[in-house]
PDB file of all heavy atoms in Angstrom:
ATOM      1  N   ARG A 911       0.805  -1.223   0.000  1.00  0.00           N
ATOM      2  CA  ARG A 911       0.000   0.000   0.000  1.00  0.00           C
ATOM      3  C   ARG A 911       0.840   1.276   0.000  1.00  0.00           C
ATOM      4  O   ARG A 911       0.297   2.372   0.061  1.00  0.00           O
ATOM      5  CB  ARG A 911      -0.925   0.004   1.223  1.00  0.00           C
ATOM      6  CG  ARG A 911      -1.956  -1.123   1.218  1.00  0.00           C
ATOM      7  CD  ARG A 911      -2.926  -0.984   2.367  1.00  0.00           C
ATOM      8  NE  ARG A 911      -2.265  -1.103   3.660  1.00  0.00           N
ATOM      9  CZ  ARG A 911      -2.301  -0.199   4.627  1.00  0.00           C
ATOM     10  NH1 ARG A 911      -2.944   0.939   4.447  1.00  0.00           N
ATOM     11  NH2 ARG A 911      -1.694  -0.410   5.782  1.00  0.00           N
ATOM     12  N   ILE A 912       2.156   1.135  -0.065  1.00  0.00           N
ATOM     13  CA  ILE A 912       3.028   2.311  -0.044  1.00  0.00           C
ATOM     14  C   ILE A 912       2.965   3.043  -1.377  1.00  0.00           C
ATOM     15  O   ILE A 912       3.083   2.436  -2.445  1.00  0.00           O
ATOM     16  CB  ILE A 912       4.485   1.909   0.249  1.00  0.00           C
ATOM     17  CG1 ILE A 912       4.608   1.327   1.653  1.00  0.00           C
ATOM     18  CG2 ILE A 912       5.427   3.106   0.083  1.00  0.00           C
ATOM     19  CD1 ILE A 912       4.322   2.297   2.778  1.00  0.00           C
ATOM     20  N   GLU A 913       2.818   4.361  -1.313  1.00  0.00           N
ATOM     21  CA  GLU A 913       2.843   5.211  -2.513  1.00  0.00           C
ATOM     22  C   GLU A 913       3.845   6.344  -2.307  1.00  0.00           C
ATOM     23  O   GLU A 913       3.633   7.211  -1.451  1.00  0.00           O
ATOM     24  CB  GLU A 913       1.465   5.798  -2.793  1.00  0.00           C
ATOM     25  CG  GLU A 913       1.447   6.704  -4.007  1.00  0.00           C
ATOM     26  CD  GLU A 913       0.078   7.305  -4.274  1.00  0.00           C
ATOM     27  OE1 GLU A 913      -0.809   7.173  -3.405  1.00  0.00           O
ATOM     28  OE2 GLU A 913      -0.091   7.911  -5.343  1.00  0.00           O
ATOM     29  N   PRO A 914       4.948   6.375  -3.057  1.00  0.00           N
ATOM     30  CA  PRO A 914       5.880   7.496  -2.947  1.00  0.00           C
ATOM     31  C   PRO A 914       5.238   8.782  -3.484  1.00  0.00           C
ATOM     32  O   PRO A 914       4.845   8.838  -4.653  1.00  0.00           O
ATOM     33  CB  PRO A 914       7.065   7.070  -3.816  1.00  0.00           C
ATOM     34  CG  PRO A 914       6.926   5.579  -3.958  1.00  0.00           C
ATOM     35  CD  PRO A 914       5.445   5.325  -3.953  1.00  0.00           C
ATOM     36  N   VAL A 915       5.125   9.787  -2.627  1.00  0.00           N
ATOM     37  CA  VAL A 915       4.480  11.050  -3.040  1.00  0.00           C
ATOM     38  C   VAL A 915       5.451  12.222  -2.984  1.00  0.00           C
ATOM     39  O   VAL A 915       5.109  13.326  -3.400  1.00  0.00           O
ATOM     40  CB  VAL A 915       3.252  11.360  -2.169  1.00  0.00           C
ATOM     41  CG1 VAL A 915       2.183  10.297  -2.347  1.00  0.00           C
ATOM     42  CG2 VAL A 915       3.633  11.514  -0.695  1.00  0.00           C
ATOM     43  N   LEU A 916       6.670  11.980  -2.483  1.00  0.00           N
ATOM     44  CA  LEU A 916       7.655  13.059  -2.400  1.00  0.00           C
ATOM     45  C   LEU A 916       9.062  12.487  -2.537  1.00  0.00           C
ATOM     46  O   LEU A 916       9.433  11.545  -1.840  1.00  0.00           O
ATOM     47  CB  LEU A 916       7.537  13.792  -1.055  1.00  0.00           C
ATOM     48  CG  LEU A 916       8.643  14.804  -0.729  1.00  0.00           C
ATOM     49  CD1 LEU A 916       8.650  15.948  -1.736  1.00  0.00           C
ATOM     50  CD2 LEU A 916       8.500  15.339   0.698  1.00  0.00           C
ATOM     51  N   ILE A 917       9.837  13.065  -3.459  1.00  0.00           N
ATOM     52  CA  ILE A 917      11.273  12.829  -3.545  1.00  0.00           C
ATOM     53  C   ILE A 917      11.936  14.134  -3.120  1.00  0.00           C
ATOM     54  O   ILE A 917      11.787  15.159  -3.795  1.00  0.00           O
ATOM     55  CB  ILE A 917      11.722  12.458  -4.974  1.00  0.00           C
ATOM     56  CG1 ILE A 917      10.911  11.273  -5.515  1.00  0.00           C
ATOM     57  CG2 ILE A 917      13.220  12.169  -4.990  1.00  0.00           C
ATOM     58  CD1 ILE A 917      11.049   9.998  -4.747  1.00  0.00           C
ATOM     59  N   LEU A 918      12.629  14.109  -1.990  1.00  0.00           N
ATOM     60  CA  LEU A 918      13.253  15.324  -1.467  1.00  0.00           C
ATOM     61  C   LEU A 918      14.764  15.153  -1.466  1.00  0.00           C
ATOM     62  O   LEU A 918      15.289  14.193  -0.900  1.00  0.00           O
ATOM     63  CB  LEU A 918      12.746  15.613  -0.054  1.00  0.00           C
ATOM     64  CG  LEU A 918      13.203  16.937   0.568  1.00  0.00           C
ATOM     65  CD1 LEU A 918      12.116  17.525   1.469  1.00  0.00           C
ATOM     66  CD2 LEU A 918      14.512  16.767   1.367  1.00  0.00           C
ATOM     67  N   SER A 919      15.450  16.083  -2.119  1.00  0.00           N
ATOM     68  CA  SER A 919      16.902  16.039  -2.218  1.00  0.00           C
ATOM     69  C   SER A 919      17.528  17.134  -1.358  1.00  0.00           C
ATOM     70  O   SER A 919      16.997  18.239  -1.258  1.00  0.00           O
ATOM     71  CB  SER A 919      17.347  16.224  -3.672  1.00  0.00           C
ATOM     72  OG  SER A 919      18.756  16.319  -3.754  1.00  0.00           O
ATOM     73  N   SER A 920      18.679  16.810  -0.771  1.00  0.00           N
ATOM     74  CA  SER A 920      19.415  17.813   0.001  1.00  0.00           C
ATOM     75  C   SER A 920      20.423  18.577  -0.857  1.00  0.00           C
ATOM     76  O   SER A 920      21.164  19.408  -0.339  1.00  0.00           O
ATOM     77  CB  SER A 920      20.149  17.143   1.174  1.00  0.00           C
ATOM     78  OG  SER A 920      21.180  16.292   0.704  1.00  0.00           O
ATOM     79  N   ARG A 921      20.431  18.298  -2.166  1.00  0.00           N
ATOM     80  CA  ARG A 921      21.323  19.015  -3.086  1.00  0.00           C
ATOM     81  C   ARG A 921      20.587  19.316  -4.391  1.00  0.00           C
ATOM     82  O   ARG A 921      19.886  18.452  -4.920  1.00  0.00           O
ATOM     83  CB  ARG A 921      22.570  18.185  -3.402  1.00  0.00           C
ATOM     84  CG  ARG A 921      23.526  17.987  -2.239  1.00  0.00           C
ATOM     85  CD  ARG A 921      24.703  17.124  -2.650  1.00  0.00           C
ATOM     86  NE  ARG A 921      25.601  16.848  -1.534  1.00  0.00           N
ATOM     87  CZ  ARG A 921      26.563  15.935  -1.554  1.00  0.00           C
ATOM     88  NH1 ARG A 921      26.734  15.189  -2.645  1.00  0.00           N
ATOM     89  NH2 ARG A 921      27.338  15.741  -0.493  1.00  0.00           N
ATOM     90  N   HIS A 922      20.811  20.518  -4.903  1.00  0.00           N
ATOM     91  CA  HIS A 922      20.192  20.885  -6.177  1.00  0.00           C
ATOM     92  C   HIS A 922      20.724  20.043  -7.337  1.00  0.00           C
ATOM     93  O   HIS A 922      20.005  19.803  -8.313  1.00  0.00           O
ATOM     94  CB  HIS A 922      20.444  22.370  -6.472  1.00  0.00           C
ATOM     95  CG  HIS A 922      19.485  23.294  -5.806  1.00  0.00           C
ATOM     96  ND1 HIS A 922      18.157  23.373  -6.153  1.00  0.00           N
ATOM     97  CD2 HIS A 922      19.665  24.169  -4.789  1.00  0.00           C
ATOM     98  CE1 HIS A 922      17.547  24.272  -5.403  1.00  0.00           C
ATOM     99  NE2 HIS A 922      18.429  24.772  -4.551  1.00  0.00           N
ATOM    100  N   ASN A 923      21.986  19.623  -7.231  1.00  0.00           N
ATOM    101  CA  ASN A 923      22.626  18.907  -8.346  1.00  0.00           C
ATOM    102  C   ASN A 923      22.676  17.404  -8.139  1.00  0.00           C
ATOM    103  O   ASN A 923      23.472  16.705  -8.773  1.00  0.00           O
ATOM    104  CB  ASN A 923      24.032  19.448  -8.579  1.00  0.00           C
ATOM    105  CG  ASN A 923      24.945  19.281  -7.356  1.00  0.00           C
ATOM    106  OD1 ASN A 923      24.474  18.917  -6.277  1.00  0.00           O
ATOM    107  ND2 ASN A 923      26.234  19.541  -7.526  1.00  0.00           N
ATOM    108  N   ALA A 924      21.856  16.867  -7.257  1.00  0.00           N
ATOM    109  CA  ALA A 924      21.863  15.421  -7.015  1.00  0.00           C
ATOM    110  C   ALA A 924      21.459  14.660  -8.273  1.00  0.00           C
ATOM    111  O   ALA A 924      20.463  14.995  -8.927  1.00  0.00           O
ATOM    112  CB  ALA A 924      20.919  15.078  -5.861  1.00  0.00           C
ATOM    113  N   GLY A 925      22.222  13.633  -8.594  1.00  0.00           N
ATOM    114  CA  GLY A 925      21.892  12.827  -9.762  1.00  0.00           C
ATOM    115  C   GLY A 925      20.553  12.130  -9.639  1.00  0.00           C
ATOM    116  O   GLY A 925      19.905  11.804 -10.644  1.00  0.00           O
ATOM    117  N   GLY A 926      20.109  11.903  -8.410  1.00  0.00           N
ATOM    118  CA  GLY A 926      18.829  11.244  -8.201  1.00  0.00           C
ATOM    119  C   GLY A 926      17.641  12.038  -8.706  1.00  0.00           C
ATOM    120  O   GLY A 926      16.587  11.462  -9.004  1.00  0.00           O
ATOM    121  N   ILE A 927      17.793  13.353  -8.830  1.00  0.00           N
ATOM    122  CA  ILE A 927      16.692  14.174  -9.347  1.00  0.00           C
ATOM    123  C   ILE A 927      16.376  13.774 -10.784  1.00  0.00           C
ATOM    124  O   ILE A 927      15.204  13.614 -11.162  1.00  0.00           O
ATOM    125  CB  ILE A 927      17.044  15.670  -9.243  1.00  0.00           C
ATOM    126  CG1 ILE A 927      17.156  16.082  -7.773  1.00  0.00           C
ATOM    127  CG2 ILE A 927      16.001  16.522  -9.965  1.00  0.00           C
ATOM    128  CD1 ILE A 927      17.641  17.501  -7.559  1.00  0.00           C
ATOM    129  N   ASP A 928      17.426  13.600 -11.593  1.00  0.00           N
ATOM    130  CA  ASP A 928      17.207  13.173 -12.985  1.00  0.00           C
ATOM    131  C   ASP A 928      16.631  11.759 -13.036  1.00  0.00           C
ATOM    132  O   ASP A 928      15.763  11.464 -13.873  1.00  0.00           O
ATOM    133  CB  ASP A 928      18.522  13.228 -13.769  1.00  0.00           C
ATOM    134  CG  ASP A 928      18.986  14.655 -14.031  1.00  0.00           C
ATOM    135  OD1 ASP A 928      18.127  15.552 -14.059  1.00  0.00           O
ATOM    136  OD2 ASP A 928      20.207  14.860 -14.188  1.00  0.00           O
ATOM    137  N   LYS A 929      17.093  10.886 -12.146  1.00  0.00           N
ATOM    138  CA  LYS A 929      16.554   9.524 -12.128  1.00  0.00           C
ATOM    139  C   LYS A 929      15.063   9.543 -11.776  1.00  0.00           C
ATOM    140  O   LYS A 929      14.269   8.772 -12.335  1.00  0.00           O
ATOM    141  CB  LYS A 929      17.318   8.656 -11.127  1.00  0.00           C
ATOM    142  CG  LYS A 929      18.723   8.250 -11.565  1.00  0.00           C
ATOM    143  CD  LYS A 929      19.321   7.277 -10.573  1.00  0.00           C
ATOM    144  CE  LYS A 929      20.684   6.770 -11.023  1.00  0.00           C
ATOM    145  NZ  LYS A 929      21.724   7.820 -10.950  1.00  0.00           N
ATOM    146  N   ALA A 930      14.675  10.403 -10.846  1.00  0.00           N
ATOM    147  CA  ALA A 930      13.259  10.491 -10.482  1.00  0.00           C
ATOM    148  C   ALA A 930      12.423  10.925 -11.679  1.00  0.00           C
ATOM    149  O   ALA A 930      11.331  10.390 -11.918  1.00  0.00           O
ATOM    150  CB  ALA A 930      13.078  11.458  -9.315  1.00  0.00           C
ATOM    151  N   ARG A 931      12.923  11.896 -12.423  1.00  0.00           N
ATOM    152  CA  ARG A 931      12.201  12.345 -13.624  1.00  0.00           C
ATOM    153  C   ARG A 931      12.097  11.207 -14.635  1.00  0.00           C
ATOM    154  O   ARG A 931      11.041  11.008 -15.259  1.00  0.00           O
ATOM    155  CB  ARG A 931      12.924  13.541 -14.255  1.00  0.00           C
ATOM    156  CG  ARG A 931      12.907  14.810 -13.413  1.00  0.00           C
ATOM    157  CD  ARG A 931      13.367  16.002 -14.232  1.00  0.00           C
ATOM    158  NE  ARG A 931      13.474  17.201 -13.437  1.00  0.00           N
ATOM    159  CZ  ARG A 931      14.628  17.774 -13.074  1.00  0.00           C
ATOM    160  NH1 ARG A 931      15.776  17.233 -13.458  1.00  0.00           N
ATOM    161  NH2 ARG A 931      14.627  18.869 -12.355  1.00  0.00           N
ATOM    162  N   GLU A 932      13.188  10.447 -14.798  1.00  0.00           N
ATOM    163  CA  GLU A 932      13.177   9.324 -15.737  1.00  0.00           C
ATOM    164  C   GLU A 932      12.137   8.286 -15.355  1.00  0.00           C
ATOM    165  O   GLU A 932      11.568   7.610 -16.233  1.00  0.00           O
ATOM    166  CB  GLU A 932      14.566   8.670 -15.781  1.00  0.00           C
ATOM    167  CG  GLU A 932      15.647   9.533 -16.411  1.00  0.00           C
ATOM    168  CD  GLU A 932      17.033   8.969 -16.176  1.00  0.00           C
ATOM    169  OE1 GLU A 932      17.126   7.842 -15.632  1.00  0.00           O
ATOM    170  OE2 GLU A 932      18.015   9.646 -16.525  1.00  0.00           O
ATOM    171  N   GLU A 933      11.875   8.161 -14.051  1.00  0.00           N
ATOM    172  CA  GLU A 933      10.887   7.190 -13.574  1.00  0.00           C
ATOM    173  C   GLU A 933       9.473   7.755 -13.558  1.00  0.00           C
ATOM    174  O   GLU A 933       8.542   7.107 -13.067  1.00  0.00           O
ATOM    175  CB  GLU A 933      11.266   6.690 -12.179  1.00  0.00           C
ATOM    176  CG  GLU A 933      12.600   5.957 -12.114  1.00  0.00           C
ATOM    177  CD  GLU A 933      12.641   4.738 -13.016  1.00  0.00           C
ATOM    178  OE1 GLU A 933      11.596   4.072 -13.185  1.00  0.00           O
ATOM    179  OE2 GLU A 933      13.728   4.441 -13.572  1.00  0.00           O
ATOM    180  N   GLY A 934       9.312   8.957 -14.085  1.00  0.00           N
ATOM    181  CA  GLY A 934       7.973   9.520 -14.234  1.00  0.00           C
ATOM    182  C   GLY A 934       7.470  10.331 -13.058  1.00  0.00           C
ATOM    183  O   GLY A 934       6.279  10.660 -12.998  1.00  0.00           O
ATOM    184  N   ILE A 935       8.344  10.679 -12.112  1.00  0.00           N
ATOM    185  CA  ILE A 935       7.928  11.487 -10.975  1.00  0.00           C
ATOM    186  C   ILE A 935       7.730  12.932 -11.427  1.00  0.00           C
ATOM    187  O   ILE A 935       8.607  13.520 -12.061  1.00  0.00           O
ATOM    188  CB  ILE A 935       8.959  11.410  -9.828  1.00  0.00           C
ATOM    189  CG1 ILE A 935       9.104   9.968  -9.355  1.00  0.00           C
ATOM    190  CG2 ILE A 935       8.554  12.325  -8.679  1.00  0.00           C
ATOM    191  CD1 ILE A 935       7.841   9.347  -8.823  1.00  0.00           C
ATOM    192  N   SER A 936       6.594  13.503 -11.111  1.00  0.00           N
ATOM    193  CA  SER A 936       6.278  14.858 -11.559  1.00  0.00           C
ATOM    194  C   SER A 936       7.037  15.899 -10.754  1.00  0.00           C
ATOM    195  O   SER A 936       7.486  15.642  -9.628  1.00  0.00           O
ATOM    196  CB  SER A 936       4.777  15.118 -11.432  1.00  0.00           C
ATOM    197  OG  SER A 936       4.394  15.125 -10.074  1.00  0.00           O
ATOM    198  N   LYS A 937       7.149  17.090 -11.305  1.00  0.00           N
ATOM    199  CA  LYS A 937       7.854  18.188 -10.640  1.00  0.00           C
ATOM    200  C   LYS A 937       7.207  18.515  -9.301  1.00  0.00           C
ATOM    201  O   LYS A 937       7.891  18.834  -8.332  1.00  0.00           O
ATOM    202  CB  LYS A 937       7.863  19.418 -11.547  1.00  0.00           C
ATOM    203  CG  LYS A 937       8.676  20.578 -10.998  1.00  0.00           C
ATOM    204  CD  LYS A 937       8.720  21.726 -11.997  1.00  0.00           C
ATOM    205  CE  LYS A 937       9.560  22.879 -11.449  1.00  0.00           C
ATOM    206  NZ  LYS A 937       9.626  24.006 -12.416  1.00  0.00           N
ATOM    207  N   ARG A 938       5.885  18.443  -9.226  1.00  0.00           N
ATOM    208  CA  ARG A 938       5.199  18.787  -7.977  1.00  0.00           C
ATOM    209  C   ARG A 938       5.450  17.768  -6.869  1.00  0.00           C
ATOM    210  O   ARG A 938       5.166  18.041  -5.697  1.00  0.00           O
ATOM    211  CB  ARG A 938       3.696  18.944  -8.219  1.00  0.00           C
ATOM    212  CG  ARG A 938       2.977  17.671  -8.617  1.00  0.00           C
ATOM    213  CD  ARG A 938       1.480  17.913  -8.806  1.00  0.00           C
ATOM    214  NE  ARG A 938       0.786  16.720  -9.230  1.00  0.00           N
ATOM    215  CZ  ARG A 938       0.651  16.325 -10.480  1.00  0.00           C
ATOM    216  NH1 ARG A 938       1.178  17.077 -11.457  1.00  0.00           N
ATOM    217  NH2 ARG A 938       0.002  15.224 -10.788  1.00  0.00           N
ATOM    218  N   ALA A 939       5.965  16.586  -7.230  1.00  0.00           N
ATOM    219  CA  ALA A 939       6.268  15.563  -6.227  1.00  0.00           C
ATOM    220  C   ALA A 939       7.742  15.562  -5.844  1.00  0.00           C
ATOM    221  O   ALA A 939       8.204  14.647  -5.158  1.00  0.00           O
ATOM    222  CB  ALA A 939       5.868  14.182  -6.739  1.00  0.00           C
ATOM    223  N   MET A 940       8.486  16.614  -6.259  1.00  0.00           N
ATOM    224  CA  MET A 940       9.905  16.714  -5.936  1.00  0.00           C
ATOM    225  C   MET A 940      10.186  18.036  -5.246  1.00  0.00           C
ATOM    226  O   MET A 940       9.501  19.035  -5.482  1.00  0.00           O
ATOM    227  CB  MET A 940      10.760  16.569  -7.196  1.00  0.00           C
ATOM    228  CG  MET A 940      10.718  15.172  -7.805  1.00  0.00           C
ATOM    229  SD  MET A 940      11.963  14.912  -9.099  1.00  0.00           S
ATOM    230  CE  MET A 940      11.201  15.782 -10.462  1.00  0.00           C
ATOM    231  N   ALA A 941      11.202  18.025  -4.390  1.00  0.00           N
ATOM    232  CA  ALA A 941      11.599  19.238  -3.679  1.00  0.00           C
ATOM    233  C   ALA A 941      13.083  19.157  -3.364  1.00  0.00           C
ATOM    234  O   ALA A 941      13.654  18.071  -3.262  1.00  0.00           O
ATOM    235  CB  ALA A 941      10.794  19.397  -2.397  1.00  0.00           C
ATOM    236  N   VAL A 942      13.705  20.324  -3.230  1.00  0.00           N
ATOM    237  CA  VAL A 942      15.103  20.421  -2.816  1.00  0.00           C
ATOM    238  C   VAL A 942      15.156  21.286  -1.563  1.00  0.00           C
ATOM    239  O   VAL A 942      14.659  22.406  -1.550  1.00  0.00           O
ATOM    240  CB  VAL A 942      15.983  21.039  -3.919  1.00  0.00           C
ATOM    241  CG1 VAL A 942      17.412  21.223  -3.408  1.00  0.00           C
ATOM    242  CG2 VAL A 942      15.970  20.167  -5.168  1.00  0.00           C
ATOM    243  N   VAL A 943      15.751  20.741  -0.505  1.00  0.00           N
ATOM    244  CA  VAL A 943      15.935  21.489   0.743  1.00  0.00           C
ATOM    245  C   VAL A 943      17.392  21.322   1.154  1.00  0.00           C
ATOM    246  O   VAL A 943      17.802  20.242   1.573  1.00  0.00           O
ATOM    247  CB  VAL A 943      14.997  20.980   1.863  1.00  0.00           C
ATOM    248  CG1 VAL A 943      15.228  21.778   3.145  1.00  0.00           C
ATOM    249  CG2 VAL A 943      13.538  21.073   1.436  1.00  0.00           C
ATOM    250  N   GLN A 944      18.180  22.381   0.993  1.00  0.00           N
ATOM    251  CA  GLN A 944      19.606  22.326   1.275  1.00  0.00           C
ATOM    252  C   GLN A 944      19.902  22.896   2.664  1.00  0.00           C
ATOM    253  O   GLN A 944      19.501  24.024   2.974  1.00  0.00           O
ATOM    254  CB  GLN A 944      20.393  23.115   0.229  1.00  0.00           C
ATOM    255  CG  GLN A 944      20.228  22.576  -1.189  1.00  0.00           C
ATOM    256  CD  GLN A 944      21.172  23.276  -2.149  1.00  0.00           C
ATOM    257  OE1 GLN A 944      21.999  22.631  -2.789  1.00  0.00           O
ATOM    258  NE2 GLN A 944      21.068  24.585  -2.264  1.00  0.00           N
TER     259      GLN A 944
END
């Protein structure tokens, strides 16, 4: 029943941000907090 609704990165340049986009995660479900 788990649904990922937020990918939060501690770096603006994290490679995981691009991977999240590749997996179809929308911009509104991502955030950067440094």
Side-chain angles (χ1 to χ4, degrees):
R911 296 186 297 124
I912 295 295
E913 179 181 10
V915 296
L916 171 63
I917 306 298
L918 186 146
S919 174
S920 67
R921 292 178 183 167
H922 277 291
N923 61 351
I927 294 174
D928 289 334
K929 287 186 176 70
R931 293 192 185 108
E932 292 168 7
E933 298 301 326
I935 300 300
S936 66
K937 185 176 181 179
R938 66 179 178 274
M940 292 191 283
V942 176
V943 180
Q944 299 188 121

